[in-house]
Amino acid sequence: MANPETPAANAPTTDPDRWAWPHSSAMNGQELDTFMARQALFCQRGAAPQDAERLADSLVNRDRDDDDRRLCLECRHLHGAGPYRCGNARAAGVHADLARGLVLILQRCHGYDDARLPMGVMVDAAPPTAAPATEPPRTPSGPSWRELDRAYLAHHQQCSVCQCAGRGYGQRCATGFELWAAYSNMNSDLKE
């Protein structure tokens, strides 16, 4: 017969975190949510799924141990999804072009302060509602590089969503994404 003072494990009033960290090595609810968000972010930033899972798991232990080392994949200054660039290389004391191996290891970074990405942030991704960007017309009547540049900058100046995206937080709005894609396509066409 069950002890009436001890509720059943599947009782709705039982706190699922009661038997998790710090009472055992199992992840509690907050750690699980953070783990999943990190894993998704790392995949989005170019890590293989198995590497993303391994790295997210190692960060659970890092957080529990109050370790001050960081991954470049956690930082808003990291650009690209392989090859990688550090947007704060001088403060970090590294070369701006980062090797993949460096991005995937825990390290102490002087440029990381206040650079942590919020969990669940999509980086350099198209908004789900945005239509695919069309290539700018190559006819003389099409917009010039300067016109595209001015249009994007005028929008960017007024749109806080696009301003945040430019800093590495979130995605551009649908209008900003279309302007950015047209501007970027024109820019890459000029380099060819």
Side-chain angles (χ1 to χ4, degrees), residues 152-153 155-169 171-173:
Y152 176 73
L153 291 176
H155 171 79
H156 183 84
Q157 203 169 27
Q158 301 298 319
C159 180
S160 61
V161 173
C162 289
Q163 290 171 8
C164 289
R167 292 183 185 106
Y169 293 101
Q171 307 171 44
R172 290 176 176 84
C173 72

Side-chain angles (χ1 to χ4, degrees), residues 50-100:
Q50 61 272 28
D51 287 337
E53 182 177 358
R54 178 184 51 81
L55 291 168
D57 190 50
S58 70
L59 294 188
V60 171
N61 293 323
R62 178 204 63 189
D63 294 345
R64 288 177 179 177
D65 295 338
D66 291 324
D67 189 342
D68 66 343
R69 295 176 298 161
R70 305 289 175 218
L71 283 175
C72 291
L73 291 173
E74 296 178 278
C75 183
R76 70 179 169 93
H77 295 299
L78 182 69
H79 301 289
Y84 296 102
R85 285 191 62 78
C86 178
N88 197 23
R90 182 174 291 165
V94 297
H95 190 276
D97 295 321
L98 300 174
R100 182 175 175 78

Side-chain angles (χ1 to χ4, degrees), residues 80-129:
Y84 296 102
R85 285 191 62 78
C86 178
N88 197 23
R90 182 174 291 165
V94 297
H95 190 276
D97 295 321
L98 300 174
R100 182 175 175 78
L102 183 66
V103 171
L104 300 177
I105 62 170
L106 281 169
Q107 55 194 304
R108 288 179 178 82
C109 176
H110 302 293
Y112 184 78
D113 294 338
D114 301 323
R116 178 184 330 219
L117 283 169
M119 287 296 108
V121 166
M122 295 296 289
V123 181
D124 298 333
T129 58

Side-chain angles (χ1 to χ4, degrees), residues 8-26:
N10 62 353
T13 58
T14 301
D15 178 16
D17 288 342
R18 181 177 181 179
W19 308 109
W21 177 262
H23 308 292
S24 74
S25 62

